[in-house]
Amino acid sequence: MGTGVPASEQISCAKEDTQVYCPEGTAGTKDVQVTDCKSPEDNRPQKETGCCNPEDSGQLMASYEGKAMGYQVPPFGWRICLAHEFTEKRKPFQANNVSLRNMIKHIGMGLRYLQWWYRKTQVEKKTPFIDMINSVPLRQIYGCPLGGIGGGTITRGWRGQFCRWQLNPGMYQHRTVIADQFTVCLRREGQTVYQQVLSLERPSVLRSWNWGLCGYFAFYHALYPRAWTVYQLPGQNVTLTCRQITPILPHDYQEVFVWDVENEGDEALDVSIMFSMRNGLGGGDDAPGGLWNEPFCLEHGGETVQGLLLHHPTLPNPYTMAVAARVTADTTVTHITAFDPDSTGQQVWQDLLQDGQLDSPAGQSTPTQKGVGIAGAVCVSSKLEPRGQCRLEFSLAWDMPRILFGAKGQVHYRRYTRFFGQDGDAAPALSHYALCRYTEWEERISAWQSPVLDDRSLPAWYKSALFNELYFLADGGTVWLEVREDSLPEELGRNMCHLCPTLRDYGRFGYLEGQEYRMYNTYDVHFYASFALIMLWPKLELSLQYDMALATLREDLTRRRYLMSGVMAPVKRRNVIPHDIGDPDDEPWLRVNAYLIHDTADWKDLNLKFVLQVYRDYYLTGDQNFLKDMWPVCLAVMESEMKFDKDHDGLIENGGYADQTYDGWVTTGPSAYCGGLWLAAVAVMVQMAALCGAQDIQDKFSSILHRGQEAYERLLWNGRYYNYDSSSQPQSRSVMSDQCAGQWFLKACGLGEGETEVFPTPHVVRALQTIFELNVQAFAGGAMGAVNGMQPHGVPDKSSVQSDEVWVGVVYGLAATMIQEGLTWEGFQTAEGCYRTVWERLGLAFQTPEAYCQQRVFRSLAYMRPLSIWAMQLALQQQQHKKDSRPKVEQGTGLRTGPMFGPKEAMANVSPE
């Protein structure tokens, strides 16, 4: 249920003005102090030195009036005062943002899209894989998502709201659920003196609760997968620090909230934290009724956990949510099984106010009637000595073991069911496991992150960006599924000996192109994002590659009309890489290529990106079995690619339409981007042929490479950079920020220089310098990253709807390329512009978009490609250890300290043990 209250109206506090809240008929309470603050702009005191580092936080902490820095909050990450307001309010890209010239170009596509959209939404009653009519509006509220890899996610906003939900696989609901809150109660000498919902909201429901927390005395700090919220309670000499811990470790699907309470006064007090949660979201999934709650208590191994189970049996994907707390010698855990989240909430508020605890009724609640909501709450209480500190521990877990995608055709089981069972009764065990293991998770997280955080040569913004951009690996509509061996086609997989063992042991992994672009494992974009997977979870990357290889060998000759061209063509042709693995609102893996704007069988980049990723994955893992399995598939897709070299000069030609990842930017003839990818792929084919003992194939691709290099330099190099393409159009001379993508991947594979040089190093360096001069420094004052296309005289290329955009993931890849070529300062300057724009200026934290323009608009929130920032980390590590031997990713550990490069400790253990 949404609040309906604008953010500007939710922050209304004045630290000077206090009201006295005296509920009628309340025994055992003193007058309870309530702060109802207004902006203290005029009386704002000077900040103490060290309260906040403006270099790290920009203006995001300028509103913070408190002195408390919280309990063990790290110095690096994304930090923002809860009272902060972003002044720039952009809108999603819409048709009215297209220039008249470009609109005329795409009039046919627009009409076909409208017809398709109407049929999809009004006739089939389905959601479009890309909804250009109803883009997700700007909400500058998101924080670290809750939930591990592949088990669904719930995003908790930086002001504490539970506001973005992805429990049904790949399908998002953007809804703030008001009842989902933390509330603090303080008692002195047996009487309640302070009770406050830790929320800035002022909703129209639960009006008996004390809302409107003063945001000027609280701040949020994110360093994914952890986040901290610090609350300095006005007039109470008490500071609360809520630490949110997300286990981005394999087969973990729970969330822990650890509350550290510091008493800075000279009086003892009793402190209680209540965690309330609605069963469901208050929308259509709840409407049929039948929801019910029940208390539970689980003791195992000397540890006891108590809480509530919120059963949500609505089909097709029923689940159980568990709100729980750890019982210790110093804490008391109580609960209220059910209350109406759409009422005034007086009963539960009075219950807590009276004695700092809840009544804890026994037995389960009555199942709800149609249209009636239900919520519950768990409370942990403890004594707090003068100048003392105490810890209260909660967990939030959900158990949705069995899932159906939108087509409701095949039953899938989530990966964690291998460890916790498939019966749907694992929520208590998941809660117990989380509360007893979270300290181990934190130790492993710290060991992984410390080498980067402790490196003084790295800027603070980079440390924040590197880890916080990883949110998308969990919150990209991500699924991690068990694979039945009988579900794999024997005839296609017989030449890949390690396909079945890999999918059996490590499962099937999928993540969306974007939360608004709903296609799993979009491969032209994964090309950029895949660095995060191969460096941190290499076995998941190999599993994804096996799935892509399987899909490549299949065909679906069902004919359909493509929206851009209007041409009828098959869904999928054999021996070409699919664009994506499918739509979660359909049946992914069974039906691929949800994307129907272009017929991607004729795209020039997909096959090449597969070959390049195969060799990079082999190079970083040393997995020879993987290379042997992929070699025949690489041969097949390169044979399919050969037909695009129409004049047999060793260089492919683009087809005069947008036939690559820039699907709105027309390319004609030999081009810098696709031509560069082609030469890089041919070069790694030479390397793979040598490793596989295929001398004749090695000679064949060596000959192609030699001819292609000559053609590429002759046709595209102009002395300063490589031309966009070879057409006669004015934009052919545009400076493309992504023109060195082929060289980027070669260097990541340990190639591209010396005997394996493909592009002359002086040309690469000169091109990167030109990009920095024009696309970066001459664009928006050098403060917004690199624009995709820039004309030679320093004006952005507006020939297409994408050429004047900044693509965040492309910029991070460009920065990695600069670092590889020794332009490290330029690389960091380029990438910093994107981070500052997205995270500090536009308020798009934890929803990094695919693109933004210099003014007014952004496009496609929460996108896959920015995970390419991990390519910068790889480039730094390879640069640091360039003289050492080849890197090694040990099985089941992620990227480890090796003779060539770090990151010294792996992120996670992905072995099934």
Side-chain angles (χ1 to χ4, degrees):
M1 164 165 111
T3 65
V5 182
S8 58
E9 297 175 19
Q10 295 168 12
I11 307 175
S12 168
C13 25
K15 54 187 181 183
E16 296 88 354
D17 300 335
T18 60
Q19 301 175 2
V20 176
Y21 177 56
C22 302
E24 295 182 7
T26 302
T29 65
K30 288 185 178 179
D31 292 345
V32 182
Q33 181 174 308
V34 180
T35 57
D36 185 21
C37 332
K38 296 174 186 171
S39 173
E41 296 280 343
D42 298 332
N43 302 306
R44 190 166 290 172
Q46 293 293 318
K47 288 207 184 295
E48 292 187 359
T49 302
C51 266
C52 125
N53 186 343
E55 180 183 359
D56 299 345
S57 306
Q59 294 301 308
L60 303 185
M61 284 290 286
S63 301
Y64 185 58
E65 291 301 316
K67 296 181 180 179
M69 287 293 100
Y71 183 79
Q72 296 183 348
V73 181
F76 299 108
W78 182 72
R79 184 173 295 190
I80 185 169
C81 175
L82 267 60
H84 182 76
E85 284 289 340
F86 291 97
T87 57
E88 186 166 352
K89 308 290 184 182
R90 292 203 169 196
K91 294 185 177 181
F93 183 88
Q94 300 282 0
N96 60 357
N97 301 118
V98 180
S99 67
L100 178 60
R101 182 176 63 175
N102 284 320
M103 190 171 291
I104 292 172
K105 291 180 185 177
H106 298 296
I107 188 70
M109 186 270 187
L111 293 174
R112 284 185 288 271
Y113 178 84
L114 288 173
Q115 292 174 338
W116 172 84
W117 183 90
Y118 180 84
R119 184 174 66 252
K120 177 67 68 173
T121 59
Q122 304 303 311
V123 179
E124 299 177 19
K125 304 298 183 183
K126 304 286 280 186
T127 56
F129 74 96
I130 297 177
D131 195 337
M132 299 180 188
I133 309 298
N134 300 302
S135 298
V136 174
L138 174 68
R139 299 180 75 199
Q140 298 162 315
I141 64 174
Y142 297 116
C144 276
L146 319 178
I149 295 178
T153 48
I154 302 170
T155 296
R156 189 165 183 247
W158 51 268
R159 285 181 174 146
Q161 61 274 65
F162 291 77
C163 51
R164 185 172 65 196
W165 305 74
Q166 188 257 145
L167 298 179
N168 286 317
M171 308 301 291
Y172 278 85
Q173 293 178 275
H174 299 82
R175 180 188 295 267
T176 296
V177 181
I178 284 297
D180 297 355
Q181 301 290 347
F182 286 101
T183 299
V184 61
C185 174
L186 302 181
R187 293 171 59 80
R188 291 186 174 91
E189 299 178 355
Q191 294 184 315
T192 298
V193 295
Y194 182 88
Q195 188 161 300
Q196 173 74 51
V197 184
L198 296 172
S199 169
L200 278 65
E201 305 273 6
R202 295 179 180 274
S204 59
V205 296
L206 301 177
R207 296 181 67 93
S208 293
W209 296 17
N210 183 25
W211 298 90
L213 176 77
C214 185
Y216 293 96
F217 292 88
F219 69 87
Y220 178 86
H221 184 95
L223 186 66
Y224 189 76
R226 293 184 288 178
W228 294 256
T229 311
V230 176
Y231 305 89
Q232 182 177 323
L233 303 183
Q236 301 302 315
N237 289 324
V238 170
T239 299
L240 310 176
T241 303
C242 177
R243 186 164 81 258
Q244 170 186 316
I245 306 157
T246 299
I248 52 164
L249 304 169
H251 65 263
D252 292 333
Y253 296 87
Q254 315 85 31
E255 192 67 31
V256 175
F257 298 95
V258 179
W259 288 84
D260 290 297
V261 187
E262 298 171 276
N263 183 2
E264 295 151 3
D266 297 322
E267 295 180 81
L269 58 86
D270 296 324
V271 59
S272 301
I273 300 287
M274 179 179 76
F275 186 9
S276 55
M277 197 86 187
R278 183 173 189 136
N279 189 337
L281 278 65
D285 289 344
D286 303 353
L291 315 182
W292 56 285
N293 302 343
E294 63 173 331
F296 78 93
C297 179
L298 178 60
E299 191 281 329
H300 179 73
E303 296 282 356
T304 301
V305 169
Q306 287 180 222
L308 286 180
L309 300 178
L310 282 58
H311 299 286
H312 196 281
T314 306
L315 297 175
N317 295 319
Y319 65 91
T320 296
M321 192 83 69
V323 179
R326 189 178 191 176
V327 180
T328 70
D330 300 321
T331 60
T332 301
V333 179
T334 56
H335 70 269
I336 182 167
T337 308
F339 68 90
D340 183 355
D342 300 316
S343 69
T344 64
Q346 184 173 12
Q347 180 182 356
V348 63
W349 188 259
Q350 296 284 349
D351 189 0
L352 180 65
L353 191 70
Q354 186 159 3
D355 58 5
Q357 298 183 14
L358 300 175
D359 283 345
S360 300
Q364 66 187 47
S365 68
T366 303
T368 60
Q369 298 298 310
K370 185 175 180 179
V372 177
I374 183 175
V378 174
C379 178
V380 185
S381 307
S382 182
K383 294 187 179 299
L384 189 55
E385 298 300 322
R387 306 290 173 177
Q389 183 261 341
C390 69
R391 175 167 292 180
L392 312 176
E393 301 158 303
F394 291 90
S395 71
L396 176 64
W398 52 91
D399 184 21
M400 183 191 283
R402 173 185 180 275
I403 60 170
L404 292 170
F405 290 108
K408 302 182 179 65
Q410 297 184 359
V411 175
H412 304 269
Y413 289 94
R414 296 194 190 268
R415 171 72 173 177
Y416 76 91
T417 60
R418 175 174 294 204
F419 311 97
F420 289 94
Q422 301 178 350
D423 297 331
D425 58 0
L430 288 165
S431 302
H432 191 281
Y433 182 79
L435 287 166
C436 295
R437 298 287 290 274
Y438 79 85
T439 54
E440 177 190 331
W441 298 343
E442 290 200 279
E443 289 172 1
R444 293 170 66 185
I445 291 168
S446 294
W448 159 52
Q449 293 183 335
S450 292
V452 172
L453 300 180
D454 295 343
D455 188 340
R456 295 187 177 184
S457 70
L458 299 174
W461 71 262
Y462 173 76
K463 297 172 183 180
S464 172
L466 185 69
F467 294 113
N468 283 326
E469 289 291 5
L470 282 175
Y471 83 94
F472 194 82
L473 279 180
D475 201 20
T478 312
V479 290
W480 190 2
L481 306 173
E482 290 285 83
V483 179
R484 302 190 324 269
E485 286 200 42
D486 61 4
S487 68
L488 299 173
E490 183 178 346
E491 70 283 0
L492 293 179
R494 81 168 51 95
N495 292 326
M496 290 184 277
C497 299
H498 293 84
L499 180 148
C500 288
T502 298
L503 293 178
R504 180 188 64 234
D505 293 344
Y506 299 102
R508 174 166 273 161
F509 176 82
Y511 65 148
L512 298 176
E513 178 178 336
Q515 291 180 8
E516 293 191 82
Y517 286 15
R518 211 182 53 243
M519 297 158 282
Y520 275 127
N521 298 349
T522 299
Y523 202 71
D524 58 301
V525 184
H526 175 71
F527 175 75
Y528 298 81
S530 60
F531 283 89
L533 270 187
I534 192 59
M535 291 182 70
L536 302 175
W537 291 274
K539 291 298 183 181
L540 291 185
E541 166 67 9
L542 300 190
S543 169
L544 186 154
Q545 292 281 62
Y546 273 107
D547 265 335
M548 198 57 62
L550 264 183
T552 299
L553 300 177
R554 291 172 169 156
E555 64 180 1
D556 181 352
L557 298 179
T558 306
R559 298 179 69 80
R560 62 180 179 180
R561 188 175 305 279
Y562 288 91
L563 300 178
M564 186 66 77
S565 65
V567 170
M568 297 289 292
V571 171
K572 169 68 175 67
R573 289 179 240 175
R574 184 175 283 118
N575 293 342
V576 294
I577 300 296
H579 173 273
D580 59 83
I581 219 71
D583 178 357
D585 202 30
D586 184 30
E587 194 61 65
W589 285 278
L590 179 64
R591 286 187 286 275
V592 304
N593 279 348
Y595 180 86
L596 48 66
I597 294 176
H598 293 281
D599 178 5
T600 59
D602 288 329
W603 271 20
K604 309 307 182 289
D605 61 338
L606 288 170
N607 296 329
L608 308 175
K609 289 174 174 177
F610 178 77
V611 172
L612 288 167
Q613 287 184 82
V614 164
Y615 186 77
R616 182 212 52 196
D617 295 348
Y618 159 73
Y619 175 73
L620 292 179
T621 64
D623 192 329
Q624 295 185 7
N625 292 322
F626 169 74
L627 180 64
K628 290 177 183 177
D629 282 352
M630 294 296 111
W631 174 239
V633 186
C634 289
L635 284 172
V637 299
M638 287 299 283
E639 189 62 35
S640 296
E641 193 79 8
M642 293 285 191
K643 66 177 179 290
F644 301 129
D645 180 10
K646 299 185 184 301
D647 57 5
H648 307 291
D649 64 349
L651 189 63
I652 62 169
E653 291 87 39
N654 287 89
Y657 70 102
D659 52 357
Q660 24 70 39
T661 193
Y662 297 88
D663 58 352
W665 195 356
V666 171
T667 316
T668 303
S671 67
Y673 182 69
C674 290
L677 293 175
W678 162 259
L679 292 180
V682 171
V684 303
M685 287 297 290
V686 173
Q687 299 295 319
M688 287 193 284
L691 290 166
C692 295
Q695 185 63 51
D696 55 337
I697 296 174
Q698 183 180 356
D699 293 342
K700 172 185 174 181
F701 281 102
S702 294
S703 174
I704 295 172
L705 180 61
H706 178 74
R707 289 182 285 117
Q709 286 174 287
E710 188 278 329
Y712 189 79
E713 296 296 323
R714 172 171 47 84
L715 294 170
L716 296 167
W717 179 250
N718 65 22
R720 295 179 61 205
Y721 58 92
Y722 292 99
N723 288 336
Y724 176 70
D725 66 14
S726 303
S727 72
S728 59
Q729 299 299 316
Q731 65 267 23
S732 70
R733 293 276 295 178
S734 286
V735 185
M736 186 187 196
S737 64
D738 211 3
Q739 63 185 269
C740 296
Q743 175 70 0
W744 168 39
F745 250 75
L746 287 176
K747 277 295 189 72
C749 298
L751 305 172
E753 58 186 343
E755 294 182 356
T756 61
E757 182 181 88
V758 174
F759 310 94
T761 298
H763 289 186
V764 172
V765 173
R766 185 68 185 97
L768 292 172
Q769 291 171 336
T770 301
I771 293 167
F772 185 70
E773 292 164 8
L774 292 177
N775 300 60
V776 180
Q777 291 187 311
F779 175 74
M784 294 183 72
V787 67
N788 282 343
M790 180 68 85
Q791 296 181 56
H793 53 283
V795 175
D797 178 356
K798 296 182 179 293
S799 64
S800 81
V801 294
Q802 294 175 337
S803 52
D804 66 337
E805 292 182 325
V806 176
W807 287 12
V808 180
V810 167
V811 173
Y812 289 150
L814 168 63
T817 314
M818 291 175 170
I819 293 168
Q820 290 169 341
E821 302 300 331
L823 303 174
T824 303
W825 180 83
E826 290 85 347
F828 276 106
Q829 286 291 111
T830 299
E832 181 178 359
C834 278
Y835 174 80
R836 301 286 188 195
T837 299
V838 170
W839 291 77
E840 296 182 357
R841 175 179 156 193
L842 302 184
L844 299 179
F846 298 99
Q847 52 180 331
T848 304
E850 159 73 319
Y852 56 80
C853 291
Q854 185 171 352
Q855 297 176 333
R856 297 191 303 277
V857 298
F858 59 83
R859 184 168 59 79
S860 186
L861 291 174
Y863 200 75
M864 176 198 291
R865 205 183 315 252
L867 286 167
S868 61
I869 193 170
W870 278 84
M872 291 179 65
Q873 186 64 15
L874 178 63
L876 289 168
Q877 293 165 186
Q878 290 178 323
Q879 181 189 65
Q880 181 180 353
H881 299 276
K882 194 171 183 179
K883 296 180 180 179
D884 297 330
S885 60
R886 182 168 64 85
K888 178 75 172 177
V889 178
E890 297 179 12
Q891 178 172 344
T893 61
L895 196 58
R896 299 181 59 85
T897 305
M900 181 170 177
F901 64 102
K904 300 182 180 177
E905 266 309 317
M907 165 57 211
N909 185 337
V910 297
S911 72
E913 286 75 28

